Amino acid sequence: MMREAMLVFIGGGAGSVLRWLTGLAALRLFGPSFPFGTLAVNILGCFVMGVFYRVLPSLDSATHEARLLLMTGMLGGYTTFSAFALDAANLWMREQGTLAFVYLAASVLISMIGVGLGLIAGKWVMA
């Protein structure tokens, strides 16, 4: 259990640094007018999650530990959007399209409500 936690920790740290570097690069390239860094992180993270999901199980050397390091840790630190997208895709692939749609809609809507409530709470705390 401790070894697994360390793999997630190391991967998460690496993913967080990669996220920061991606954000800096996007800011330098495109400026602050649009969140290009976040968009790039989400798109790239989802692409890499899909590749890892298909490729890692087929490699002889890929183990549970590799998935923890790369998928849970690194991509989790890089973007949780990739995990969200994979969960939705898994529902879709299991032919649970309605449930996938409900998951997508609820995640986006409730997350936006959460941010709004957090902004209100933060303003209230700071008053």
Side-chain angles (χ1 to χ4, degrees), residues 74-89:
M74 188 183 74
L75 289 176
Y78 190 64
T79 173
T80 57
F81 195 82
S82 58
F84 160 72
L86 182 61
D87 288 341

Side-chain angles (χ1 to χ4, degrees), residues 22-62:
T22 303
L24 283 179
L27 190 61
R28 288 184 182 143
L29 286 171
F30 304 110
S33 63
F34 185 82
F36 285 107
T38 301
L39 182 62
V41 160
N42 287 338
I43 293 168
L44 184 58
C46 287
F47 173 76
V48 173
M49 180 67 86
V51 171
F52 283 171
Y53 184 79
R54 290 291 189 193
V55 172
L56 286 179
S58 66
L59 299 176
D60 289 337
S61 61

Side-chain angles (χ1 to χ4, degrees), residues 48-117:
V48 173
M49 180 67 86
V51 171
F52 283 171
Y53 184 79
R54 290 291 189 193
V55 172
L56 286 179
S58 66
L59 299 176
D60 289 337
S61 61
T63 62
H64 174 66
E65 287 82 11
R67 291 178 65 110
L68 287 173
L69 177 71
L70 297 172
M71 293 176 73
T72 305
M74 188 183 74
L75 289 176
Y78 190 64
T79 173
T80 57
F81 195 82
S82 58
F84 160 72
L86 182 61
D87 288 341
N90 275 327
L91 288 169
W92 184 264
M93 289 187 302
R94 290 195 316 247
E95 297 182 5
Q96 295 177 308
T98 301
L99 197 54
F101 176 78
V102 168
Y103 175 68
L104 289 167
S107 294
V108 172
L109 256 57
I110 295 169
S111 293
M112 292 303 298
I113 291 168
V115 167
L117 291 174

